[in-house]
Amino acid sequence: MKLAFERRGTGEPLILVHGIGHHWQAWLPVIDLLAATRTVIAVDLPGFGASPGLPEHVPYTAESLADAVESFCARIGAREPHVAGNSLGGYIALELASRGVVRSAVALSPAGFWSRPELLYCQTALRGLRASARSMPAERLASVAANPLLRGVCAGLLVARPSRLEPDALVAATRALAESEGFDPTLESFGGLMPPAPPKSPITIAWGEHDRLLPCRQAVRAGRWSGQRVKLLKGCGHVPMSDDPALVARVILEA
């Protein structure tokens, strides 16, 4: 299937995968830093952003979304690319590494390493964000995004430094969350999400120090699963790209 994407730069291919309810623009704070040495391809997952939804007979699961990304890479001729993902995208990056179809994988606060109470908290919090996004009139959203205090209230669950989040980016992200046709079935599928099989490709896992959606104690489980120490992204939240673009870019490029 055809997916919406943004391509920049030259060099070895690097696929960027966003989290649930987001779109490729989540990577805008870091994309040019990465494109200095990579051919960066930031993709909208099926049913998110500007990409069409999955076919009716295909369920929304992390594995089926990983299938779509793998097929997309084959279609555009990106053989064994590097891949980096955040949240759900982080899980997808690890899943692709477990299949051995990528050169390396970087997962930023990946989904799937939660306890049962942490999963229920995550699902409840995300449903609340989705309901808020869908109920907020456009003019109200614009005024919230323009107000530093309200921007912090609106985005504080996902980023540690809301002041660094551009108002237009918050507006666009909120609209993407409200309009994601794949959001509800994907979130429901999280109940059966388990860590992927052991990776066949080199991986790096990094976790936001101030992640309020998937607390960084989950990094301990991710470290046990991977058999390696998880990097801590100091001063960063769940979606760290706007919190510290230079740090995030460095972690991805050094993988």
Side-chain angles (χ1 to χ4, degrees):
M1 63 183 303
K2 293 185 178 180
L3 300 179
F5 67 95
E6 174 77 0
R7 186 198 301 259
R8 299 187 189 180
T10 57
E12 295 180 350
L14 168 63
I15 309 297
L16 300 179
V17 189
H18 61 77
I20 186 171
H22 225 317
H23 53 176
W24 74 259
Q25 289 88 341
W27 297 97
L28 276 173
V30 301
I31 196 168
D32 287 333
L33 295 173
L34 300 172
T37 55
R38 297 282 191 272
T39 296
V40 179
I41 303 162
V43 62
D44 279 341
L45 291 170
F48 298 91
S51 289
L54 289 170
E56 288 188 9
H57 66 281
V58 179
Y60 279 91
T61 64
E63 290 77 11
S64 64
L65 294 173
D67 290 342
V69 174
E70 184 178 354
S71 297
F72 166 79
C73 292
R75 186 175 67 82
I76 65 172
R79 296 184 177 181
E80 293 190 346
H82 302 279
V83 62
N86 173 225
S87 194
L88 170 61
Y91 183 97
I92 290 171
L94 295 177
E95 170 65 22
L96 295 174
S98 78
R99 301 178 186 185
V101 297
V102 294
R103 190 169 304 178
S104 69
V106 176
L108 308 175
S109 293
F113 294 97
W114 40 49
S115 66
R116 184 65 181 174
E118 290 166 346
L119 165 63
L120 294 176
Y121 162 75
C122 172
Q123 289 177 310
T124 300
L126 288 173
R127 287 191 183 103
L129 287 177
R130 161 89 155 174
S132 177
R134 300 186 79 178
S135 65
M136 191 174 297
E139 61 276 9
R140 174 61 177 164
L141 174 58
S143 65
V144 167
N147 184 302
L149 180 60
L150 294 178
R151 188 160 68 246
V153 172
C154 185
L157 182 67
L158 299 179
V159 298
R161 298 167 174 169
S163 62
R164 298 188 179 183
L165 186 63
E166 293 291 336
D168 288 347
L170 179 57
V171 169
T174 303
R175 288 175 177 165
L177 175 58
E179 297 167 4
S180 298
E181 67 172 284
F183 180 89
D184 291 331
T186 301
L187 185 64
E188 187 65 27
S189 77
F190 281 5
L193 192 64
M194 301 291 290
K200 298 176 182 177
S201 306
I203 65 167
T204 298
I205 301 176
W207 222 283
E209 177 186 26
H210 302 299
D211 193 326
R212 299 183 183 96
L213 183 66
L214 301 180
C216 64
R217 59 178 173 270
Q218 296 179 26
V220 176
R221 300 181 199 119
R224 290 178 185 145
W225 170 81
S226 64
Q228 63 187 50
R229 183 181 295 274
V230 176
K231 295 184 178 182
L232 187 66
L233 300 175
K234 292 187 177 181
C236 293
H238 181 66
V239 182
M241 290 80 83
S242 65
D243 286 326
D244 194 334
L247 174 60
V248 170
R250 185 165 65 251
V251 167
I252 293 173
L253 293 174
E254 290 177 353

